[in-house]
Amino acid sequence: MKVNTFTVVPCLPKPLEHLTDLAYNLRWCWNPGCLGLFQRLDQDLWQETHHNPVEMLGRIKQDRLEEVARDDGFIAHLEHAWSEFQAYMTGPNWFNQTYGGPQALTLGYFTFEFGIVESVPIYSGGLGVLSGDHLKAASDLGLPMIGVSLLYRQGYFRQYLNPDGWQQEVYPENNFYNLPVRVLNDEQGQPLKVQVDFPGRKVAVQLWKMEVGRSVVILLDANVPENSPEDREITAQLYGGDHELRIRQEILMGIGGVRALVAAGYRPDIFHMNEGHSAFQSLERARLFIKEYGVDFETALEASRANNVFTTHTPVPAGNDTFTPAAIDHYFRDYVRELGIDIDRLLALGRQNPDDRNEPFNMTVLALNMSSHANGVSELHGHVSRHMWQRVWPGLPESEIPISSITNGVHTRGWISQEMGNLYDRYLGPQWSTDPTDTGLWRRAESIPDSELWRTHERRRERLVAFSRRCLHDQLRHRGAPQSELAQAEEVLDPEALTIGFARRFALYKRGTLILRDAERLKKLMADKDRPVQFIIAGKAHPADTMAKEIIRELVHFMRDPAIRRRFVFIEDYDMNVARYLVQGVDVWLNTPRRPLEASGTSGMKAAANGALNFSILDGWWCEGYDPSLGWAIGQGEEYQDLNLQDSIESAAFYNLLEKEVIPEFYDRAADGIPRAWVRRMKSSIQNLCAQFSATRMVNDYIKGPYMGAASAGVKLTSDDLAGARELAEWKRKIRQHWGGVNLVDLKAPTEEEVFAGKPLPIEATIRLGEIKPDEVVVQVYHGELNNKREITDASEISLQYDRSDDGVHHFKGSLIASTSGRFGFAIRILPHHKNMASPFETKLIYWA
């Protein structure tokens, strides 16, 4: 049976026409004026459509539209929102003013998920929400950014718990025509599609466009009639299926994503791979260089790598996607012919040891090898990543592994409550939302009267309690609970009690049950009639993670104790809407990861911006944010081999801090009922954390660092018919061929056992280079203090200067100055050097004398 299709669109009265344009640009989700406009249109339908203005406009009754079209107040509100939107989209912005216009740089940003707003459910958690905040901050700054991802028909699962507390999953279908996304059309007005080669077939992908302020997202959808039923499932679920589905999704996003950008007319200057899922895009870009310029793969690799930026988010090896050599051979057997290489060369790019034929193909390693800049997402995560991927650069000290760090941040305006935003407007000035990196503005938080800050926060806690009660009531009703239980849901939580929030993806390292280590001690604190403590918990476990599901079940069973059931609530189906209520309403944000397994974490940043205080293990971002004046640290950053001992020590530290510091400070009230010490701590948190951990600062760090560096490298290597890439590839071939001839012939340095601090230590190294020229290497003195194992620590390096050549050897001279006393050591090393290399360690060649 042939089905003829057509799309029904809302029939808006002429005065309301701009509502459609506002609805289809997701800037409304962080603009109070637009949000208020849609809520004003129909508050009940706004909630019913899960805050989706496109669906709401399609379902609202025509007589209601006619009514508001005659409402002068509503029309004035609409006209103000529209003029503000126009000014935002076309007016001056920071990036244009700083870098001379949008032509200076365009960013292509590949990520497996985008969490922009709860009504577009194509995200699962932290990675997606961070990607969404990156988009929003780039839009606010004016950085031209095109996101690339998959349009998941079912998204991530919806969660509910059965009567025993065991997580269940459902996968409702997304109706794309009721979402703020639009089909991209070609010049003939037909849906724009690209094809991606799979073994024995081609998979067609339809392209959709989502507007996020000034930013744009291109979304790929394989659910089209041309594809087989199996291939139409490639974009069905986020993080669903097995390894076979995962490699298909990553091929589709990486290779198909590049083809989508070309088809849609975008030519980014920088390609940012946010996690390793999209690393195949680097191969497709190399293929395009080969096709367009007729170069070999090594030249195309240099051209592709130059303007690739890679961010790793995963601090454990098991969290990085790997595929068997057989799987790579199956899916890339034909593709590598277009690259002009064999499958072994491709496999080597994804292995820490390229010569180990049994090592799986690792997407993170591919991304590292195909990028000119790589970074972790906090200072600690940078250290962890350098340690974890040290084998990719054999012979290189861990501290020099070329993985830097840019700490994550949050889109401040998008996460702050309306009430708190109004308070900031009055006392900080409206610029806090347009330039959240201005530390001077945040220092003005000291001028907020204690009473106003506290009352504002209390109103948000009351709203959180009311929201939690509604959620619990709906959860119980869904399970078929009796009327008596439904009535009890209306009495859970106390709007005036100390409220602690804990919400995140449930995984073993997050330690969701650490607070239950001494359950009786916790119950005693919660049941205290004079100084009660209450917890609101939320989060999902991956459908295949039964151990994480057991953690949720244990928490649910704990809360059934009649003595504390009013003080402990689990909110099902954690999403951005639940997160917003939590971070805007809790007094304390709790985080208990097993250090150092939290790459960054951003929920605590959102809570801090709303005046909540962080109470966390020193891991991820909290290592940089913590100060005793603005929150609490569980432990002092220790790491343990005995995990049971660690849990015992850190749970005891949690209870002690809660009993002796957190609870007393919250309930120590002045005569007017305000906890003065607590409010001082709130102000300190706002003053010291908001600017430092904003997404605007984060994107600015990317622009000033890897983005501009990658853009510059891209121009150098791809201009003039890829002249720079051709030269660099040929030079690397030569260096690799002759590197075996590099060695140290002689080293001249003072032989005395002791030298005076501050006195120059002259050093001369005589080296043999064979066919390599002296200006093609850098000779360094690697030096630092020695530990008890005679290992150099806190190392630095100085480059020796070329002096002369004679009899086939080359002399390099310099001097070393030790500025402090102690036991020091040095070593001589030689590295390849070329002006077009992004890193001196790019070739992975290093000679240690």
Side-chain angles (χ1 to χ4, degrees):
M1 177 179 68
K2 180 182 179 182
V3 177
N4 297 297
T5 63
F6 58 94
T7 303
V8 179
V9 297
C11 182
L12 296 179
K14 189 170 183 58
L16 304 181
E17 287 178 346
H18 290 318
L19 281 174
T20 299
D21 294 318
L22 292 174
Y24 273 97
N25 189 306
L26 286 165
R27 179 178 175 264
W28 58 258
C29 74
W30 75 91
N31 179 262
C34 283
L35 271 171
L37 187 71
F38 290 119
Q39 292 168 345
R40 181 175 179 177
L41 189 60
D42 190 324
Q43 180 65 46
D44 292 338
L45 191 55
W46 178 251
Q47 299 298 334
E48 191 178 325
T49 58
H50 209 52
H51 310 155
N52 180 352
V54 173
E55 183 180 356
M56 186 174 78
L57 291 177
R59 290 176 53 185
I60 195 168
K61 292 185 179 350
Q62 195 66 31
D63 58 355
R64 173 57 181 163
L65 293 174
E66 299 292 347
E67 179 185 352
V68 296
R70 296 189 298 270
D71 183 338
D72 292 344
F74 186 89
I75 296 302
H77 189 168
L78 173 57
E79 289 176 353
H80 176 76
W82 177 250
S83 63
E84 188 184 44
F85 173 72
Q86 292 284 82
Y88 177 89
M89 295 295 291
T90 61
N93 60 70
W94 173 85
F95 187 80
N96 285 0
Q97 294 170 342
T98 306
Y99 292 100
Q103 70 278 4
L105 183 153
T106 301
L107 169 66
Y109 186 91
F110 287 67
T111 187
F112 221 39
E113 49 176 304
F114 274 112
I116 299 164
V117 68
E118 58 271 13
S119 55
V120 186
I122 54 172
Y123 67 96
S124 73
L127 180 70
V129 173
L130 175 78
S131 301
D133 280 8
H134 201 120
L135 271 175
K136 295 169 188 175
S139 171
D140 289 345
L141 288 168
L143 168 65
M145 178 172 173
I146 306 106
V148 178
S149 193
L150 303 182
L151 186 57
Y152 301 99
R153 195 174 75 249
Q154 298 173 345
Y156 203 49
F157 69 91
R158 303 292 299 273
Q159 176 201 54
Y160 71 95
L161 304 182
N162 70 14
D164 189 44
W166 191 257
Q167 174 181 289
Q168 306 290 303
E169 299 91 24
V170 291
Y171 293 88
E173 298 270 335
N174 288 321
N175 182 350
F176 299 154
Y177 293 94
N178 279 338
L179 293 180
V181 297
R182 284 171 162 152
V183 174
L184 271 177
N185 291 322
D186 59 21
E187 294 177 352
Q188 288 72 45
Q190 297 301 308
L192 186 61
K193 297 178 182 178
V194 297
Q195 291 186 327
V196 179
D197 297 295
F198 280 75
R201 67 198 189 279
K202 293 182 181 295
V203 173
V205 183
Q206 181 168 299
L207 307 185
W208 298 72
K209 181 179 179 180
M210 180 167 60
E211 297 178 3
V212 186
R214 300 182 181 104
S215 302
V216 170
V217 181
I218 304 299
L219 297 164
L220 285 67
D221 171 22
N223 185 30
V224 294
E226 301 95 305
N227 292 335
S228 67
E230 183 182 19
D231 287 336
R232 293 177 73 162
E233 293 299 304
I234 294 176
T235 54
Q237 294 179 5
L238 170 62
Y239 302 131
D242 54 13
H243 270 62
E244 193 76 12
L245 176 62
R246 181 62 64 86
I247 193 172
R248 292 175 185 174
Q249 288 182 327
E250 297 187 357
I251 290 171
L252 202 70
M253 185 174 73
I255 295 176
V258 172
R259 295 179 184 181
L261 289 175
V262 172
Y266 295 108
R267 295 182 64 87
D269 303 290
I270 306 145
F271 290 77
H272 188 164
M273 295 175 278
N274 192 41
E275 195 57 284
H277 307 116
S278 61
F280 290 136
Q281 66 89 355
S282 60
L283 301 178
E284 175 63 9
R285 294 188 58 233
R287 188 190 69 85
L288 292 178
F289 282 122
I290 292 169
K291 181 179 178 180
E292 183 174 352
Y293 295 96
V295 296
D296 63 7
F297 175 72
E298 300 305 325
T299 300
L301 182 152
E302 299 299 341
S304 173
R305 173 164 45 201
N307 54 357
N308 279 337
V309 173
F310 171 55
T311 298
T312 176
H313 292 261
T314 310
V316 289
N320 296 269
D321 284 346
T322 61
F323 302 109
T324 64
I328 297 298
D329 180 65
H330 176 67
Y331 283 98
F332 286 89
R333 187 180 305 145
D334 295 329
Y335 189 84
V336 292
R337 296 193 187 102
E338 295 187 62
L339 298 177
I341 59 175
D342 58 24
I343 201 69
D344 288 335
R345 176 69 181 105
L346 173 57
L347 287 168
L349 287 170
R351 287 171 170 160
Q352 297 187 67
N353 180 359
D355 299 322
D356 183 355
R357 299 177 66 86
N358 296 315
E359 183 179 333
F361 184 91
N362 189 301
M363 294 295 286
T364 298
V365 175
L366 176 64
L368 289 169
N369 281 325
M370 296 297 287
S371 300
S372 61
H373 296 77
N375 66 276
V377 290
S378 70
E379 289 182 7
L380 178 60
H381 183 234
H383 290 291
V384 171
S385 298
R386 288 188 286 276
H387 176 74
M388 190 161 64
W389 302 113
Q390 188 174 6
R391 288 179 54 223
V392 178
W393 290 270
L396 191 62
E398 182 179 310
S399 61
E400 294 186 292
I401 299 299
I403 302 176
S404 64
S405 65
I406 294 177
T407 303
N408 287 342
V410 299
H411 186 252
T412 314
R413 172 71 268 182
W415 288 102
I416 284 181
S417 70
Q418 184 64 52
E419 295 89 341
M420 190 65 79
N422 292 339
L423 192 68
Y424 289 162
D425 284 344
R426 289 199 300 275
Y427 292 98
L428 277 61
Q431 292 80 15
W432 70 267
S433 63
T434 56
D435 185 11
T437 63
D438 188 336
T439 56
L441 288 175
W442 293 106
R443 280 196 291 270
R444 297 177 189 172
E446 184 61 39
S447 68
I448 302 174
D450 290 359
S451 58
E452 286 196 56
L453 179 58
W454 185 245
R455 300 306 177 209
T456 299
H457 177 66
E458 285 196 309
R459 283 194 293 274
R460 288 309 311 179
R461 191 193 314 116
E462 290 166 3
R463 291 197 178 198
L464 171 60
V465 168
F467 172 77
S468 301
R469 288 171 175 174
R470 291 196 301 272
C471 289
L472 183 58
H473 183 277
D474 291 344
Q475 292 165 196
L476 292 171
R477 182 171 50 81
H478 181 265
R479 289 182 213 153
Q483 192 61 40
S484 58
E485 280 193 51
L486 295 178
Q488 289 176 3
E490 305 297 330
E491 300 176 355
V492 299
L493 304 175
D494 179 347
E496 296 183 356
L498 172 61
T499 304
I500 298 176
F502 181 95
R504 53 198 27 87
R505 175 175 61 89
F506 275 91
L508 286 182
Y509 81 88
K510 302 276 190 180
R511 296 193 295 179
T513 53
L514 185 71
I515 61 174
L516 306 186
R517 189 85 176 181
D518 188 342
E520 294 308 314
R521 187 176 179 184
L522 182 62
K523 288 178 184 178
K524 184 178 179 182
L525 295 172
M526 295 171 67
D528 189 308
K529 292 182 180 180
D530 297 321
R531 303 191 308 176
V533 181
Q534 58 194 15
F535 291 82
I536 303 177
I537 313 290
K540 296 178 178 179
H542 187 277
D545 192 344
T546 56
M547 297 181 77
K549 289 183 179 182
E550 185 58 43
I551 291 174
I552 295 175
R553 180 176 175 273
E554 187 177 344
L555 288 167
V556 172
H557 279 237
F558 171 78
M559 65 183 275
R560 288 178 177 167
D561 186 327
I564 52 94
R565 66 185 309 166
R566 289 186 61 242
R567 307 284 189 208
F568 202 97
V569 172
F570 186 95
I571 298 178
E572 296 175 10
D573 203 28
Y574 184 45
D575 67 359
M576 291 180 71
N577 185 46
V578 175
R580 201 176 296 112
Y581 271 98
L582 284 167
V583 299
Q584 292 174 1
V586 298
D587 299 298
V588 172
W589 193 259
L590 178 65
N591 193 19
T592 56
R594 192 181 303 284
R595 178 187 166 107
L597 302 183
E598 183 87 293
S600 172
T602 56
S603 55
M605 304 174 190
K606 298 159 192 165
N610 283 283
L613 302 179
N614 277 273
F615 185 10
S616 176
I617 298 291
L618 285 171
D619 198 7
W621 79 280
W622 192 230
C623 297
E624 302 163 51
Y626 170 68
D627 182 88
S629 69
L630 51 78
W632 296 275
I634 302 171
Q636 298 181 17
E638 302 91 345
E639 296 175 23
Y640 298 79
Q641 295 298 316
D642 186 332
L643 302 186
N644 187 58
L645 175 64
Q646 180 180 13
D647 291 348
S648 296
I649 292 173
E650 293 180 343
S651 62
F654 161 73
Y655 295 128
N656 290 335
L657 282 168
L658 189 59
E659 289 175 339
K660 297 176 182 178
E661 295 191 30
V662 180
I663 294 173
E665 190 168 302
F666 181 84
Y667 285 106
D668 182 13
R669 305 297 174 97
D672 56 4
I674 297 173
R676 299 290 177 181
W678 189 276
V679 172
R680 278 198 302 274
R681 199 182 288 266
M682 289 174 66
K683 289 182 179 181
S684 178
S685 177
I686 292 167
Q687 290 174 299
N688 291 284
L689 300 180
C690 288
Q692 183 181 357
F693 296 103
S694 74
T696 303
R697 185 274 312 154
M698 174 187 74
V699 173
N700 215 330
D701 285 352
Y702 276 107
I703 292 172
K704 292 184 294 185
Y707 288 173
M708 282 301 173
S712 174
V715 171
K716 283 182 183 178
L717 268 64
T718 61
S719 299
D720 301 325
D721 197 35
L722 304 191
R726 295 173 194 265
E727 177 193 340
L728 184 58
E730 184 58 37
W731 177 83
K732 284 184 178 180
R733 269 190 283 265
K734 168 193 165 183
I735 293 296
R736 290 190 177 102
Q737 181 180 354
H738 297 293
W739 192 251
V742 173
N743 65 83
L744 178 71
V745 176
D746 186 35
L747 175 64
K748 293 179 180 178
T751 58
E752 60 263 31
E753 180 66 20
E754 293 184 353
V755 297
F756 289 107
K759 179 182 178 182
L761 186 69
I763 297 174
E764 179 178 347
T766 303
I767 63 174
R768 182 172 285 111
L769 295 174
E771 299 298 316
I772 298 174
K773 298 176 183 177
D775 62 358
E776 294 178 313
V777 299
V778 57
V779 181
Q780 294 181 336
V781 180
Y782 182 82
H783 64 96
E785 194 165 0
L786 296 179
N787 61 19
N788 293 332
K789 298 179 182 179
R790 294 180 58 82
E791 298 168 333
I792 296 174
T793 61
D794 296 324
S796 302
E797 71 281 336
I798 58 171
S799 295
L800 301 181
Q801 301 302 309
Y802 173 70
D803 181 56
R804 68 189 188 282
S805 299
D806 52 51
D807 298 327
V809 296
H810 310 280
H811 303 269
F812 289 77
K813 289 184 176 181
S815 59
L816 169 64
I817 299 176
S819 57
T820 60
S821 302
R823 187 68 172 164
F824 290 82
F826 73 89
I828 301 295
R829 70 181 184 186
I830 305 172
L831 297 163
H833 171 72
H834 192 283
K835 66 181 186 300
N836 286 342
M837 287 202 304
S839 162
F841 313 118
E842 198 173 288
T843 63
K844 302 179 184 176
L845 299 174
I846 183 169
Y847 173 85
W848 289 96

